[in-house]
Amino acid sequence: MLLAEMKIHNLSVPSLSMILVNSFQLLYVVDALWNEEAILTTMDITHDGFGFMLAFGDLVWVPFVYSLQAFYLVGHPITITWPVAAAITVLNCIGYYIFRSANSQKNNFRRNPADPKLANLKFIPTATGKGLLVTGWWGFVRHPNYLGDIIMALAWSLPCGEFLRLKWI
């Protein structure tokens, strides 16, 4: 998409909007590869196994939906200022921090609830014999990893916003 934008609009460098979107997406992909072992403790794997939902999600939903912002920018270039880019980057970093730290906390707890590093976390025992975290990130919000995901999705979408054409920053 980045190269397509440059070719279609005869640009020597990609737009700042496209660079932001591609950078945010690259961070997300690298994070998934770097923390791949945590995926094995997710509900999709532990309860659903490899079925329609996981196959459809990995082969259709994620590649299509997660690339929509870059695809949009190819046909609708948006010029943003550096202060706007900095604000969007800060927003993405906040979302990423929440997403990564919440997922790491959950994964570490699932792997070894007795880990001394997790002694400050409180949990409620469930009927299945597992624990439900009620402190840390999971004490603030029931699914902080989704909150981080939503904040990152907003940051990915802001460079595509028509309201940015107003150049009010």
Side-chain angles (χ1 to χ4, degrees):
M1 298 299 171
L2 185 137
L3 295 174
E5 177 200 43
M6 291 174 60
K7 182 177 180 181
I8 290 170
H9 300 289
N10 200 21
L11 302 172
S12 59
V13 294
S15 68
L16 186 52
S17 295
M18 184 65 83
I19 291 171
L20 282 180
V21 167
N22 279 251
S23 299
F24 297 160
Q25 292 171 343
L26 179 63
L27 172 65
Y28 197 78
V29 169
V30 169
D31 176 79
L33 294 172
W34 188 264
N35 295 291
E36 186 177 13
E37 75 283 350
I39 293 171
L40 299 175
T41 63
T42 63
M43 184 187 75
D44 293 349
I45 301 296
T46 58
H47 295 288
D48 297 336
F50 189 79
F52 175 77
M53 185 179 91
L54 190 58
F56 179 82
D58 288 345
L59 300 175
V60 178
W61 179 259
V62 170
F64 176 74
V65 174
Y66 284 34
S67 63
L68 282 176
Q69 296 89 348
F71 182 75
Y72 178 82
L73 287 172
V74 169
H76 307 86
I78 304 282
T79 303
I80 61 173
T81 63
W82 283 100
V84 169
I88 293 171
T89 301
V90 167
L91 182 67
N92 189 74
C93 289
I94 290 167
Y96 178 76
Y97 174 75
I98 295 169
F99 167 80
R100 174 52 31 229
S101 57
N103 274 328
S104 294
Q105 190 177 73
K106 175 182 67 173
N107 181 54
N108 292 337
F109 181 76
R110 283 183 174 168
R111 287 187 178 274
N112 182 10
D115 186 342
K117 293 181 209 169
L118 305 173
N120 62 325
L121 296 178
K122 294 182 177 138
F123 64 93
I124 300 171
T126 65
T128 62
K130 296 183 179 181
L132 181 65
L133 286 172
V134 293
T135 57
W137 281 110
W138 302 88
F140 291 120
V141 132
R142 186 65 262 153
H143 293 287
N145 51 337
Y146 297 158
L147 173 64
D149 250 338
I150 290 168
I151 293 170
M152 286 189 298
L154 175 63
W156 291 18
S157 300
L158 285 175
C160 303
E162 291 294 320
F163 73 94
L164 293 175
R165 290 184 190 270
L166 299 175
K167 298 186 189 212
W168 28 294
I169 296 183

